[in-house]
Amino acid sequence: EAVALLQEHEDEAKVVAGSTALTIMLRNRLIDPSVLVWIGRLPGLRDISIADGVAELGALVSHRAVERDPAVRALIPVLADTFSKVANVRIRNAATVGGVVAEADYASDPPAAFVGLGAEIVAHGPAGRRVIAASDFFVAFYETALAPAEIVTAVRVPLPAAGTGAVYHKFVTRSSEDRPCVGVFASCRSSGDGRYTDTRVSVGAAAETPQRFP
């Protein structure tokens, strides 16, 4: 039904989930949609599940839920830590996983971590389900690889291999709840004999999209 409404109203429609970003854009008259398609009660999108070496975060999972989820904290602690650094607790209680990727704000914290962790974005549209690598999902300022009438339904994050250490550092110019002027994700895996492999670095907020640096 949600996809059908987006097809019907095309560019006049915007998807509403947590509304933390959409409300700001509406208030500042940056956008003027005639239709808002609210997906807040779509079933199955508020779950965090771990299966087959992948953590799947439903699109309606809040930032705060990712930050506090015991399984995420145990298996992908850098992801919980990244979400804990977004804005403040009031925002994190409302902002959603699907919203932060669909908005594609260049100065958001989670996208850089998603790219560094090799995550995938799951979308549903007129043609059905589609999976897009996070590294391909963010196209430009506030622009994604989503096709018309597609909705983000989940983000899939591979569990890091044993021995992997990772960190996300957020650099701000004002308060700790400000958006980053640079956000850096880094990880590597220890082989146990002093050697390190699978080194990953991704940088967000410094350009129009989060970028991986092999």
Side-chain angles (χ1 to χ4, degrees):
E1 181 184 5
V3 169
L5 286 169
L6 291 177
Q7 285 184 287
E8 177 184 350
H9 296 283
E10 299 181 333
D11 292 341
E12 290 299 312
K14 293 290 183 184
V15 175
V16 182
S19 303
T20 53
L22 190 73
T23 301
I24 294 171
M25 290 189 284
L26 287 168
R27 185 182 300 127
N28 288 283
R29 296 179 179 163
L30 298 173
I31 57 174
D32 186 26
S34 60
V35 175
L36 297 176
V37 180
W38 185 57
I39 63 170
R41 288 184 180 168
L42 287 182
L45 302 189
R46 291 190 179 276
D47 301 326
I48 297 176
S49 60
I50 311 289
D52 300 323
V54 174
E56 182 161 306
L57 316 176
L60 297 179
V61 172
S62 71
H63 287 35
R64 183 70 164 158
V66 179
E67 172 190 349
R68 302 182 71 183
D69 186 82
V72 174
R73 291 173 66 88
L75 299 171
I76 322 177
V78 68
L79 193 60
D81 182 57
T82 301
F83 274 88
S84 76
K85 293 177 179 176
V86 175
N88 55 59
V89 70
R90 298 186 305 279
I91 295 295
R92 295 198 298 275
N93 274 321
T96 62
V97 169
V100 75
V101 295
E103 186 196 11
D105 183 343
Y106 78 101
S108 291
D109 297 289
F114 283 143
V115 169
L117 288 164
E120 298 175 325
I121 316 301
V122 183
H124 186 84
R129 182 178 183 271
R130 190 162 70 102
V131 179
I132 310 159
S135 55
D136 298 326
F137 182 82
F138 304 101
V139 175
F141 287 114
Y142 302 99
E143 184 178 342
T144 71
L146 286 174
E150 276 191 325
I151 296 173
V152 174
T153 57
V155 177
R156 293 171 51 83
V157 184
L159 302 183
T164 298
V167 67
Y168 173 77
H169 274 303
K170 171 181 177 176
F171 299 89
V172 297
T173 55
R174 294 177 293 190
S175 71
S176 61
E177 53 185 60
D178 195 12
R179 303 195 316 162
C181 52
V182 178
V184 181
F185 168 93
S187 71
C188 64
R189 179 158 51 95
S190 170
S191 60
D193 58 359
R195 293 181 300 165
Y196 294 87
T197 59
D198 194 20
T199 301
R200 304 183 184 192
V201 174
S202 62
V203 178
E208 58 185 348
T209 61
Q211 298 177 29
R212 173 94 181 269
F213 290 88

